[in-house]
Amino acid sequence: MKFSQALSTQMERCDCTARELARASGLSAATISRFRSGERTPGREDLERLTAGLIAASAQRGRPLSEEALREAFFSCADLHLFDAEALRTNLNHLLTLLPVSTAELSKAISYDPSFLSRVRSGQRSPAEPEKFCADVARFLVRRFDDEKSMAAVAALIGVAPEALADETAYYTAVVQWLTGGAASVADAPGQGGSVSAFLQTLDSFDLNEYIRAIRFDELKTPTLPFTLPASHVYRGIEEMKKGELDFFKATVLSRSDQPVLLYSDMPMEDMAADLDFSKKYMFGLALLLKKGLHLNIIHDLNRPFNELMLGLESHIPLYMTGQISPYYLKDAPNTVFCHFLKVSGAAALAGECIAGHHDHGMYYLTKGKSDLAYYQQRAADLLGRAKPLMDIYREPMRSALDAFLRTDTQVSGRRRSLLSAPPIYTADEAFLTAFLDRRDVSAKEKQTILTFAARQREHFAQYLSHGAVRDELPRLTPEEFAAAPVSLSLSELFFERDLVYTYEEYCEHLRLTEAFAEQNDQYDVFFTKDKGFCNINIVIREGKWAMVSKNKAPVIHFVIRHPTLRQAIEDMILPVVE
């Protein structure tokens, strides 16, 4: 008997529907459907969830099934291989996110259809011969990424010392073992920098007002003292190049120009970042550019190890919060021999280069000359024309643009998954919201604005559910957890800058309304997580299209991320679900 038949038989024995089993097991209805159709077989963890879910559902129906009988029925299935498919999917995605390799390149190298490999990555399919699949992937990685930098990144990911991969056989064995169910990424461990989790945790806890006070941004004065700099100057070597970057900031800040500034570099970061004194001066220079009111177009180099990329984005959070930053990236990866550097403003240009691996032999050229500056400004414009937005950033002045984007998206079919820190406003009915607002110091105008916004959200959400499925994940807090970190009504898309905090009773009532909404809508599921997750951000994921990270605490800000690597990393985040 096949597993799909065994599962259907056991569900019929206890008169359990797929929806009821999904709720009881913590698995999605789509996953249950794939198991029943034979499209997928469960791994060890999913089988445990299914077994526990069937036991719970059968007990509720008054037709209890024994764990022993279920295990016997499932383990006898000819097509059930207790291979941890979820671990393979997660770890494979981690590897392909960390290393600069595309699904197309990997599929060609291991002779798999690209669309099938994409479905393996998304969890829709599992390899028929998982051991052979992992061996093929590991063999490709060992041959393709045998340089010291790549091996060090892989070692950090799979949790071994770099020297443990020095031997090709040991490298291959370690990757195979990790793919087939190894431990989670070291880089994604709580508190570790350089991962998408660390980036989101930093954003979750970031308070712009505290940051402004800490660096005394409000007290910064744009310098007006004379600054003498030749029309052009050459900087050679690491120490001089550091001085060149600071001189560029000085020339730009002290000029009368208010033109946007372009910043691009695919030069190495480690040696300059290791100098804490220079790093502080560099960030201070950026702060002065923002204080002057200049707009910064930053083209990020994504052809770096994933951890290094995320550390760079993490450090730019305070800058993004100002609304004066537009981040970009180049779709075409730069070559791996020559490194380039370009910073251009309305007053000065700083251009540089080096050979990869020889940063200390590099050179910067700073110029304020009219003809030189015109050349570099055109070069900056051409480079920006080749760049693509890394993310769209929405602050309050762009509220209508965000609303238009989300309203248009409701008309596009597909799956949506959200990681929420508070119950969604579209599951709260008008009576609940009216009573909630009446109990607070909210003006009549604000009350009407919020009720109108909520009604529009319910309308848009209903339209989306007519042709798409939604899964919301959020914590169910205990009274103690709620007291430690109270939850506020989710109004980030309204850009409402005041916290309207629930009482614990109101919070529980809104959770009840959310569960009732799920019962009434087949296309909507809500799952409650074991951990609190984030306190101040919501994450909405449109699978394969974009991910939106919304900061709820003032100042409200939304990041819509489309870049495949970053979007996939956010899609792969999993919060523990209560069984």
Side-chain angles (χ1 to χ4, degrees):
M1 181 181 289
K2 291 187 175 182
F3 179 80
S4 58
Q5 297 169 311
L7 177 59
S8 295
T9 299
Q10 298 304 323
M11 291 174 63
E12 290 170 5
R13 285 183 60 191
C14 62
D15 193 23
C16 172
T17 66
R19 186 180 184 83
E20 290 169 339
L21 181 54
R23 290 187 177 283
S25 65
L27 297 169
S28 70
T31 299
I32 300 293
S33 176
R34 293 188 187 108
F35 290 154
R36 296 187 70 191
S37 67
E39 185 180 345
R40 280 181 60 187
T41 56
R44 188 175 302 277
E45 183 180 348
D46 284 352
L47 185 64
E48 293 295 331
R49 289 188 173 188
L50 281 172
T51 302
L54 281 167
I55 291 172
S58 64
Q60 290 178 351
R61 289 287 193 178
R63 300 181 179 183
L65 299 176
S66 74
E67 182 176 350
E68 183 179 351
L70 283 173
R71 289 185 179 278
E72 183 178 347
F74 289 153
F75 287 153
S76 63
C77 295
D79 61 338
L80 181 63
H81 305 287
L82 285 183
F83 180 84
D84 197 337
E86 183 59 28
L88 168 59
R89 185 189 76 83
T90 301
N91 290 347
L92 178 65
N93 283 327
H94 278 309
L95 271 176
L96 298 188
T97 298
L98 175 74
L99 300 171
V101 57
S102 66
T103 299
E105 181 184 357
L106 177 60
S107 62
K108 182 179 179 180
I110 65 176
S111 301
Y112 272 78
D113 182 78
S115 61
F116 176 80
L117 189 56
S118 295
R119 289 195 289 272
V120 170
R121 294 192 64 184
S122 66
Q124 297 175 17
R125 295 291 299 274
S126 295
E129 300 179 81
E131 291 82 3
K132 181 181 182 299
F133 176 83
C134 291
D136 290 342
V137 171
R139 194 173 296 110
F140 163 75
L141 291 173
V142 168
R143 294 173 180 172
R144 171 75 164 74
F145 298 101
D146 58 353
D147 60 285
E148 185 177 339
K149 191 174 184 180
S150 296
M151 290 172 69
V154 172
L157 179 68
I158 68 179
V160 300
E163 52 269 23
L165 306 183
D167 175 74
E168 185 174 307
T169 302
Y171 187 2
Y172 167 82
T173 303
V175 172
V176 169
Q177 290 177 345
W178 185 72
L179 278 173
T180 55
S185 162
V186 172
D188 269 347
Q192 297 292 321
S195 69
V196 85
S197 298
F199 171 77
L200 293 172
Q201 287 165 2
T202 301
L203 179 61
D204 185 48
S205 59
F206 181 79
D207 187 310
L208 182 61
N209 294 323
E210 289 181 7
Y211 178 81
I212 288 173
R213 286 193 295 271
I215 68 169
R216 300 184 177 179
F217 187 82
D218 287 341
E219 300 173 22
L220 288 181
K221 304 293 183 184
T222 304
T224 55
L225 294 175
F227 174 63
T228 304
L229 187 71
S232 63
H233 190 76
V234 172
Y235 306 84
R236 292 187 175 88
I238 299 293
E239 294 307 315
E240 285 194 20
M241 289 193 290
K242 292 177 187 175
K243 184 176 184 302
E245 297 212 37
L246 301 180
D247 284 349
F248 170 80
F249 286 143
K250 292 175 185 176
T252 299
V253 169
L254 293 170
S255 74
R256 295 181 180 178
S257 172
D258 59 359
Q259 291 184 30
V261 178
L262 178 128
L263 308 175
Y264 170 78
S265 172
D266 59 42
M267 303 276 268
M269 296 172 55
E270 301 90 343
D271 40 19
M272 287 191 171
D275 184 342
L276 296 181
D277 184 56
F278 168 73
S279 296
K280 290 178 181 177
K281 291 177 180 177
Y282 182 89
M283 295 305 292
F284 183 75
L286 287 177
L288 286 175
L289 295 182
L290 297 172
K291 185 68 176 180
K292 187 179 178 181
L294 301 181
H295 189 89
L296 308 186
N297 294 313
I298 301 179
I299 302 179
H300 293 278
D301 173 27
L302 302 188
N303 191 39
R304 301 179 183 274
F306 187 70
N307 289 4
E308 189 176 302
L309 165 64
M310 295 310 304
L311 281 170
L313 292 177
E314 196 176 329
S315 68
H316 280 81
I317 286 176
L319 307 182
Y320 292 155
M321 288 291 185
T322 64
Q324 293 173 236
I325 303 289
S326 294
Y328 297 87
Y329 74 99
L330 296 175
K331 185 176 181 180
D332 301 320
N335 68 76
T336 57
V337 178
F338 296 94
C339 300
H340 307 87
F341 179 97
L342 186 63
K343 283 182 167 64
V344 181
S345 67
L350 182 66
E353 61 185 18
C354 75
I355 300 298
H358 300 280
H359 193 197
D360 53 333
H361 298 159
M363 182 191 80
Y364 283 174
Y365 173 66
L366 178 68
T367 180
K368 299 193 300 178
K370 188 174 181 180
S371 60
D372 278 354
L373 188 55
Y375 166 76
Y376 284 113
Q377 286 175 337
Q378 184 59 54
R379 193 177 187 188
D382 292 342
L383 184 63
L384 193 60
R386 290 287 300 272
K388 295 182 176 293
L390 178 62
M391 58 182 82
D392 298 324
I393 301 178
Y394 297 92
R395 291 288 304 273
E396 202 280 333
M398 298 182 69
R399 175 182 161 188
S400 7
L402 175 65
D403 186 61
F405 159 66
L406 293 175
R407 186 172 62 251
T408 301
D409 187 71
T410 62
Q411 302 167 17
V412 180
S413 62
R415 292 183 57 80
R416 194 175 99 179
R417 172 174 168 243
S418 301
L419 308 178
L420 307 177
S421 55
I425 197 164
Y426 44 75
T427 62
D429 57 33
E430 185 174 359
F432 171 82
L433 285 175
T434 300
F436 176 90
L437 295 172
D438 285 342
R439 289 190 285 267
R440 278 151 186 82
D441 183 21
V442 176
S443 67
K445 182 178 179 181
E446 287 177 328
K447 176 182 174 182
Q448 189 55 50
T449 298
I450 293 172
L451 291 176
T452 301
F453 166 74
R456 192 168 66 248
Q457 290 293 300
R458 286 192 291 270
E459 179 185 343
H460 290 171
F461 196 66
Q463 184 176 2
Y464 185 85
L465 289 179
S466 67
H467 53 248
V470 176
R471 168 181 169 136
D472 284 345
E473 301 175 16
L474 66 158
R476 190 195 293 274
L477 302 182
T478 65
E480 294 74 23
E481 290 171 332
F482 185 89
V487 179
S488 298
L489 187 67
S490 182
L491 297 171
S492 60
E493 290 176 26
L494 185 60
F495 291 92
F496 195 78
E497 297 287 356
R498 280 199 297 130
D499 291 336
L500 300 180
V501 182
Y502 294 97
T503 64
Y504 187 67
E505 291 71 23
E506 291 169 333
Y507 167 74
C508 291
E509 174 61 14
H510 196 166
L511 291 183
R512 188 194 65 75
L513 290 172
T514 303
E515 289 180 291
F517 187 87
E519 289 289 343
Q520 296 161 10
N521 294 273
D522 291 338
Q523 290 288 84
Y524 177 70
D525 285 312
V526 60
F527 290 82
F528 296 101
T529 59
K530 294 178 181 177
D531 293 345
K532 287 176 59 179
F534 304 108
C535 295
N536 299 306
I537 62 175
N538 291 333
I539 303 170
V540 177
I541 299 166
R542 281 285 268 118
E543 295 181 358
K545 297 183 181 297
W546 52 262
M548 183 170 75
V549 181
S550 302
K551 174 79 171 181
N552 303 326
K553 196 174 180 68
V556 174
I557 190 167
H558 302 268
F559 301 94
V560 176
I561 300 167
R562 292 187 175 85
H563 183 271
T565 300
L566 299 182
R567 176 188 52 73
Q568 187 66 52
I570 293 175
E571 279 193 26
D572 290 341
M573 288 184 57
I574 299 174
L575 298 180
V577 176
V578 174
E579 297 184 14

